[in-house]
Amino acid sequence: MKTGQPLSKSSGDKWLFTYSVITVLLVCTSLSSSWHYLKSGWDDIGMWVQHLWEQTLDWIGDDGFKLYVYGMNGWNIVLYWTVGLALLFLEMSTWPKWLNRYKIQPTVTVDRKRLTSLIALNLFNQFFVAVPFSIVGYYVLKFQGTSPPIRELPTLMRLVVSLAIFVVLQEIFAYYTHRMFHHRLLYKWTHKVHHEWQAPIALSAYYNHPLDHLIGNILPSTVGASLINAHFFTTWIWLTWATLRTLSDHSGYHVLTFPSPRRHDFHHLKFTECFGVWGPLDYLHGTEKLFQANLASLKAKKNSQ
C-alpha cells in the first residue's frame, strides 16, 4: 500500500474489529479485577459480621427457643413501642412544625380518649397472639429439622434471595387475606376494628381483632421464613423491616418517598382500595384506580402552585 493512500473498506473493518476486541478484553480484565477486589471486600465484611454474630451469641446464648420466642418477640415489642410512641408524641405535640406539611390527612387530630383501648389491644395482640404463634412456629421448625445452624450466617446471596422471596410472599398473602377480611361475612366482627382509625397513627398498626392480626398481619410476614427454612438472622432482619414498614404505613405522614405510606392511608380513608403492601396485585386486580387518580390530582395541584 502506498504512503498516503487511504485504507480500503476491508482494511478499515479489520482495524475496527481489532480495536473492538482489544477494548472488550481491556473492559473484561478491568471488570474481573474490580470484581476480585469487590468480592474480597465483601468476604472481609462477611467475616467481620460472622465474628460479631458469634460474639453476640456467646453473650446472649444460642438456644433456639429463647432466640425465636423471647428474643424475636422482645425485640419486636421494644422496636414497635419505641418508634410508635415517638411518632405519637410528634403527632400530639405538633412538633416540629415543619412536619405538619407532610401530614396526609392534615385536618384530623388524635382522639386521646381512644388511646387506652388502642394500647390495650396492641399489648393483647403482642403477648397473647404473637408470642403463642412464635412458640408454635419454633416447634414446627424444630419438627422439620431442616433449619440452618444458628451460628453459621447465610451468604450474602442467600440473604438477598430470601428477602426477595419474603417480599413476594408477603404481597400475595397480605393482599388476599386482607380482601378476605373485607368480605361482608367477616368484616363486621373482625377487620372493622382496625378501620375504627380512619386516619391511622403508627400504633394503630396492631390495633386489630386477634384473628385479623394473626391471619392478616403475622402470617403474611412469617410464611416465607417457614417455607424456605430461612436462617434466624434473615428472619430477624426481615421482621425488623416489616415492623418499621407497618409503623410507617400507619403513621399518617408522607416523609419517605419509598415506601410511601399514602397507599395504606388511602385504604383507611376509602376502605375499598389498596389492599396490598407493595402494589402490584392492586394494579392487577384494579383496586388502586381511585388511589392513582388521587395521586395524579395531588401532583397536578402541586405543579400548579
Side-chain angles (χ1 to χ4, degrees), residues 83-96 99-100 253:
V83 177
L85 288 173
L87 291 172
L88 179 62
F89 169 78
L90 296 176
E91 173 77 24
M92 298 183 69
S93 65
T94 63
W95 179 88
L99 191 62
N100 291 332
Y253 288 88

Side-chain angles (χ1 to χ4, degrees), residues 158-228:
R158 181 170 177 81
L159 175 67
V160 171
V161 171
S162 297
L163 293 176
I165 293 172
F166 289 174
V167 168
V168 174
L169 291 176
Q170 182 194 40
E171 176 69 10
I172 294 172
F173 278 83
Y175 182 88
Y176 292 112
T177 58
H178 196 174
R179 290 204 70 173
M180 179 184 74
F181 278 109
H182 271 266
H183 190 277
R184 59 186 178 82
L185 296 179
L186 292 175
Y187 180 79
K188 288 184 178 181
W189 60 276
T190 55
H191 196 56
K192 186 178 180 180
V193 174
H194 187 64
H195 277 281
E196 290 176 8
W197 290 83
Q198 194 168 353
I201 61 174
L203 290 177
S204 65
Y206 290 173
Y207 185 76
N208 301 81
H209 184 283
L211 184 63
D212 184 13
H213 186 61
L214 175 64
I215 298 176
N217 284 350
I218 297 177
L219 184 63
S221 297
T222 58
V223 66
S226 177
L227 289 178
I228 68 171

Side-chain angles (χ1 to χ4, degrees), residues 5-299:
Q5 183 178 347
L7 293 172
S8 66
K9 183 177 180 181
S10 59
S11 298
D13 290 344
K14 290 179 181 179
W15 278 107
L16 180 61
F17 176 76
T18 303
Y19 176 78
S20 300
V21 170
I22 293 173
T23 301
V24 170
L25 289 175
L26 289 174
V27 170
C28 290
T29 303
S30 177
L31 289 175
S32 177
S33 178
S34 299
W35 171 251
H36 172 75
Y37 286 113
L38 182 63
K39 185 177 184 301
S40 177
W42 275 118
D43 289 343
D44 291 340
I45 295 174
M47 290 176 64
W48 176 76
V49 173
Q50 177 67 47
H51 177 68
L52 187 63
W53 177 247
E54 290 177 359
Q55 285 187 320
T56 303
L57 292 179
D58 289 339
W59 178 51
I60 65 175
D62 57 3
D63 180 79
F65 182 88
K66 292 180 180 179
L67 288 173
Y68 276 97
V69 179
Y70 301 146
M72 198 77 80
N73 285 292
W75 169 252
N76 177 268
I77 290 169
V78 170
L79 180 66
Y80 181 85
W81 287 102
T82 300
V83 177
L85 288 173
L87 291 172
L88 179 62
F89 169 78
L90 296 176
E91 173 77 24
M92 298 183 69
S93 65
T94 63
W95 179 88
K97 295 296 183 181
W98 61 264
L99 191 62
N100 291 332
R101 68 174 178 265
Y102 294 100
K103 191 171 173 62
I104 300 173
Q105 299 186 48
T107 61
V108 181
T109 57
V110 176
D111 184 356
R112 300 184 180 217
K113 296 179 182 179
R114 301 170 63 192
L115 291 179
T116 302
S117 61
L118 175 79
I119 293 171
L121 187 52
N122 268 275
L123 291 172
F124 182 89
N125 281 331
Q126 287 178 318
F127 285 95
F128 297 101
V129 179
V131 171
F133 178 84
S134 65
I135 294 173
V136 173
Y138 166 75
Y139 282 110
V140 168
L141 290 174
K142 188 175 181 180
F143 176 77
Q144 289 176 340
T146 55
S147 296
I150 287 180
R151 283 190 170 269
E152 183 180 343
L153 288 177
T155 63
L156 177 63
M157 179 63 72
R158 181 170 177 81
L159 175 67
V160 171
V161 171
S162 297
L163 293 176
I165 293 172
F166 289 174
V167 168
V168 174
L169 291 176
Q170 182 194 40
E171 176 69 10
I172 294 172
F173 278 83
Y175 182 88
Y176 292 112
T177 58
H178 196 174
R179 290 204 70 173
M180 179 184 74
F181 278 109
H182 271 266
H183 190 277
R184 59 186 178 82
L185 296 179
L186 292 175
Y187 180 79
K188 288 184 178 181
W189 60 276
T190 55
H191 196 56
K192 186 178 180 180
V193 174
H194 187 64
H195 277 281
E196 290 176 8
W197 290 83
Q198 194 168 353
I201 61 174
L203 290 177
S204 65
Y206 290 173
Y207 185 76
N208 301 81
H209 184 283
L211 184 63
D212 184 13
H213 186 61
L214 175 64
I215 298 176
N217 284 350
I218 297 177
L219 184 63
S221 297
T222 58
V223 66
S226 177
L227 289 178
I228 68 171
N229 292 318
H231 192 279
F232 171 82
F233 182 77
T234 306
T235 305
W236 172 68
I237 289 178
W238 167 252
L239 292 182
T240 297
W241 158 259
T243 300
L244 293 174
R245 171 69 192 271
T246 193
L247 286 167
S248 173
D249 282 349
H250 291 86
S251 67
Y253 288 88
H254 186 195
V255 179
L256 300 176
T257 303
F258 180 82
S260 171
R262 281 192 178 276
R263 173 177 292 275
H264 194 70
D265 196 279
F266 192 80
H267 172 75
H268 275 260
L269 183 65
K270 297 298 183 181
F271 295 7
T272 58
E273 292 227 336
C274 302
F275 296 97
V277 177
W278 299 93
L281 288 179
D282 280 305
Y283 175 79
L284 180 65
H285 292 288
T287 51
E288 62 168 16
K289 293 179 180 178
L290 291 177
F291 172 66
Q292 293 298 338
N294 178 258
L295 286 183
S297 176
L298 290 173
K299 185 176 181 181

